[in-house]
Amino acid sequence: ATQTKSADVERADSGIGQMPARKWRNRASETLSSLQAWEAHRPCTDCGERDLPVETDVQNCNKRRADLCEKCRKRRTERKESVLEFVNTEASYGEDLRIIKEEFYLPMQAAGLLSQEQLQGIFSNIQELIDLNENFLEILQEEIDQAFDQGDDDLMTVCIGEIFLEFVNMLPAFQTYCLQQSSSVNMLNALEKEKELLRIFLNVSQNDNTALRRMNLRSFLMAPLQRVTKYPLLLSRIIKATTEYHPDHGSLREAKSRIESHLEHINMKTKQEGNTWTLRSFRQDSKKKREVINIEMRETALKTVGWLREETRFVMEGSLQLAQPPDGQWVKKGSKTLKFQNMQVLLLVNMKRVSESSLESAEPGPVKDAVLVLIRDKNNGKFHLLREPLRLSNCIVSTDPDCDDTFELIEIRREAFVFRDSDRARTHHWFRQIRRYSRELGSWKKRRNALPNIMISTPHTRP
């Protein structure tokens, strides 16, 4: 049997002759060129503009975003980042709330450090805020996961405004907490001075509990105030990156208006109750919060000493008064003759870890070095080192019974410093910690440990 050519079969089946077939192919080619020209100048799906770049890659791996102009691509990226920031910061806030309950409230309750009434006065309605955060975060995370599952990598289907309005009932809970904040802090300060076991528990927790990130209870108690005052800013960022045609645009604006009105109401209620503290003043002073300052000082200290972060432990940090006596006769005259200046002091210890598997489970090894970093805090908020760090391996630390509100640190063959804290008990705590690490370091530590007794305690009498 003879084989039939494919061209003959095509003409027989379609009924189109050779000349009409050529015309048809030419017309099809022209139509394809017209479609490609329209595709090159198609309108943006978000804004309707026709300034799209010509796509040269036929196999465009991101065809979904090829219908967007450069401006809208950038806007979608900003919106996605703003939405993820909202969700991630909500999760971080929830973690701080759980730390308040699990690391402070429950241990203090179990140990009987405070009565139930005192715990209620300090922690207020923290459990209500925890429940609201868990429900709110669960819905937010479900929306994010669903968007990714549906191929919405830009999270355009996630409507933060609508979800926020559904949980607008959490605003009264924030109001209850904020209005009690001033009395809660005052009660905590009074109880910490009154109860020594409470003071020891809080100090040990801050220094040894890795979950606290070296932050004290007061810093964690500020978390709800920081969160409620940050909502307007987070919503504003999402609104700025959301087009007016987006279905969530109106809800975002309404949510921002609701939270701002509620913050003003809290300010008004605070003033009516006679408190000088308000949310507005809190927002204005948020950059000066002590926990932020501590982080900046730690970074400055680490950069100065040049130690690895994972091998560095911040034993103590805080404000101390410092004086440099011209001679050793100040002990007889008393500390009133000295001119003290306020200074930020950090006690850093360099410890080699035995286990390197994880930072939390690693056990500290022997002390390799210990230093005191002295930082002068100026009014403009910038930190300046008073001098190079004081290495405790080259220092003598001593105290005198006649001046029990101070202690002296002598750098061998160099300078002498007198320190004190406004609280005498804390001055003694600083002294014990510095003396401890000073005694552990140096090849001649036994001799140095005896020097304070010889230099200060022994009466200077001639035979």
Side-chain angles (χ1 to χ4, degrees):
T2 60
Q3 295 181 353
T4 306
K5 294 182 179 181
S6 60
D8 296 336
V9 174
E10 181 183 356
R11 286 197 298 271
D13 291 344
S14 62
I16 300 177
Q18 185 175 2
M19 292 301 293
R22 289 179 181 176
K23 293 181 180 179
W24 180 83
R25 284 196 294 269
N26 292 336
R27 182 173 297 177
S29 178
E30 293 175 358
T31 303
L32 180 60
S33 299
S34 299
L35 289 174
Q36 290 177 346
W38 179 88
E39 181 72 12
H41 299 283
R42 66 195 179 280
C44 173
T45 56
D46 280 6
C47 64
E49 298 293 334
R50 293 179 178 271
D51 59 348
L52 297 180
V54 178
E55 296 291 343
T56 57
D57 186 7
V58 178
Q59 301 294 333
N60 190 355
C61 61
N62 197 7
K63 186 66 177 176
R64 177 182 50 80
R65 303 196 71 181
D67 296 333
L68 298 173
C69 65
E70 189 64 27
K71 181 179 179 181
C72 290
R73 290 185 186 183
K74 183 178 179 180
R75 180 184 294 163
R76 283 198 177 193
T77 300
E78 292 175 353
R79 186 181 188 279
K80 177 182 178 180
E81 293 175 352
S82 301
V83 169
L84 290 178
E85 180 187 12
F86 188 99
V87 178
N88 292 336
T89 53
E90 186 70 23
S92 300
Y93 160 65
E95 182 62 26
D96 288 343
L97 293 181
R98 285 185 286 276
I99 288 177
I100 294 175
K101 178 182 178 180
E102 297 173 4
E103 305 296 336
F104 289 106
Y105 180 89
L106 293 180
M108 291 165 65
Q109 184 184 46
L113 295 178
L114 298 177
S115 65
Q116 191 61 36
E117 182 179 357
Q118 292 170 335
L119 290 172
Q120 180 66 29
I122 294 175
F123 296 97
S124 187
N125 61 330
I126 197 70
Q127 184 60 51
E128 182 182 10
L129 294 177
I130 292 175
D131 296 338
L132 289 170
N133 168 262
E134 290 178 350
N135 296 333
F136 187 36
L137 186 61
E138 182 181 0
I139 299 299
L140 290 173
Q141 196 60 55
E142 287 180 358
E143 290 291 318
I144 298 293
D145 295 341
Q146 184 177 358
F148 282 131
D149 292 342
Q150 295 176 352
D152 179 18
D153 294 336
D154 291 332
L155 305 181
M156 294 298 291
T157 57
V158 177
C159 296
I160 296 293
E162 294 182 1
I163 300 174
F164 192 93
L165 292 177
E166 291 180 1
F167 284 85
V168 75
N169 62 326
M170 65 182 175
L171 297 182
F174 278 110
Q175 174 177 324
T176 301
Y177 188 90
C178 293
L179 293 179
Q180 296 183 8
Q181 179 63 24
S182 180
S183 60
S184 298
V185 172
N186 292 335
M187 178 179 291
L188 177 61
N189 293 337
L191 290 173
E192 190 174 2
K193 292 181 180 180
E194 176 185 346
K195 296 179 178 294
E196 183 179 3
L197 290 179
L198 175 63
R199 184 168 60 251
I200 294 174
F201 168 77
L202 295 177
N203 288 334
V204 171
S205 298
Q206 180 180 358
N207 294 326
D208 297 339
N209 191 341
T210 57
L212 304 186
R213 311 187 299 274
R214 296 288 178 181
M215 294 170 57
N216 56 29
L217 175 57
R218 293 174 184 81
S219 300
F220 282 101
L221 291 177
M222 300 300 289
L225 281 73
Q226 294 172 336
R227 188 57 186 171
V228 72
T229 54
K230 196 173 183 180
Y231 279 136
L233 177 60
L234 294 173
L235 292 172
S236 295
R237 291 177 182 174
I238 301 176
I239 292 173
K240 184 179 179 181
T242 303
T243 62
E244 297 180 359
Y245 308 104
H246 194 280
D248 196 38
H249 190 269
S251 298
L252 285 168
R253 289 192 172 276
E254 183 181 356
K256 181 175 179 291
S257 177
R258 294 283 291 272
I259 183 64
E260 288 179 341
S261 299
H262 212 84
L263 292 179
E264 289 298 327
H265 179 70
I266 294 176
N267 282 327
M268 181 187 66
K269 294 285 291 183
T270 304
K271 291 181 180 179
Q272 290 178 353
E273 294 182 4
N275 295 326
T276 57
W277 177 92
T278 62
L279 280 178
R280 185 181 289 108
S281 63
F282 171 78
R283 282 185 286 179
Q284 292 173 350
D285 298 337
S286 59
K287 293 183 180 180
K288 299 179 181 179
K289 291 307 296 176
R290 182 51 50 187
E291 60 268 19
V292 177
I293 294 177
N294 285 348
I295 293 175
E296 295 177 0
M297 287 195 302
R298 290 178 184 180
E299 293 297 328
T300 301
L302 278 176
K303 185 178 179 180
T304 302
V305 299
W307 296 345
L308 295 177
R309 188 182 302 273
E310 58 270 16
E311 295 182 358
T312 303
R313 180 184 174 191
F314 292 88
V315 179
M316 289 192 69
E317 53 191 321
S319 178
L320 280 178
Q321 295 179 353
L322 176 146
Q324 292 183 266
D327 51 41
Q329 300 299 320
W330 69 274
V331 177
K332 297 180 179 180
K333 300 177 182 179
S335 59
K336 293 182 179 180
T337 61
L338 299 177
K339 183 180 293 185
F340 285 90
Q341 58 178 325
N342 293 324
M343 196 70 54
Q344 297 293 332
V345 182
L346 293 88
L347 173 57
L348 283 71
V349 176
N350 191 6
M351 308 182 72
K352 187 171 182 60
R353 296 185 177 274
V354 177
S355 172
E356 301 292 340
S357 59
S358 65
L359 184 61
E360 289 78 8
S361 61
E363 296 181 357
V367 177
K368 297 192 297 183
D369 201 357
V371 299
L372 274 185
V373 179
L374 310 179
I375 299 178
R376 182 185 287 112
D377 187 3
K378 290 194 173 182
N379 295 330
N380 57 7
K382 295 182 180 180
F383 298 112
H384 297 273
L385 293 175
L386 177 67
R387 45 154 295 152
E388 66 272 12
L390 290 167
R391 298 199 173 273
L392 299 186
S393 58
N394 299 327
C395 295
I396 302 168
V397 187
S398 59
T399 186
D400 188 88
D402 297 332
C403 301
D404 60 348
D405 60 337
T406 60
F407 65 91
E408 187 174 23
L409 185 146
I410 301 176
E411 190 178 18
I412 301 299
R413 297 179 182 178
R414 296 195 64 180
E415 297 177 273
F417 300 89
V418 177
F419 293 95
R420 72 180 182 186
D421 191 279
S422 56
D423 183 16
R424 183 169 300 184
R426 188 161 177 82
T427 300
H428 294 166
H429 185 54
W430 271 100
F431 167 70
R432 289 191 297 269
Q433 290 291 337
I434 295 175
R435 183 181 59 177
R436 168 192 171 189
Y437 292 105
S438 174
R439 287 179 172 178
E440 292 181 3
L441 297 170
S443 57
W444 44 286
K445 59 183 180 180
K446 291 184 179 180
R447 176 187 173 192
R448 186 178 67 251
N449 291 340
L451 284 177
N453 296 329
I454 298 175
M455 297 177 64
I456 296 178
S457 300
T458 304
H460 297 279
T461 57
R462 293 183 179 182

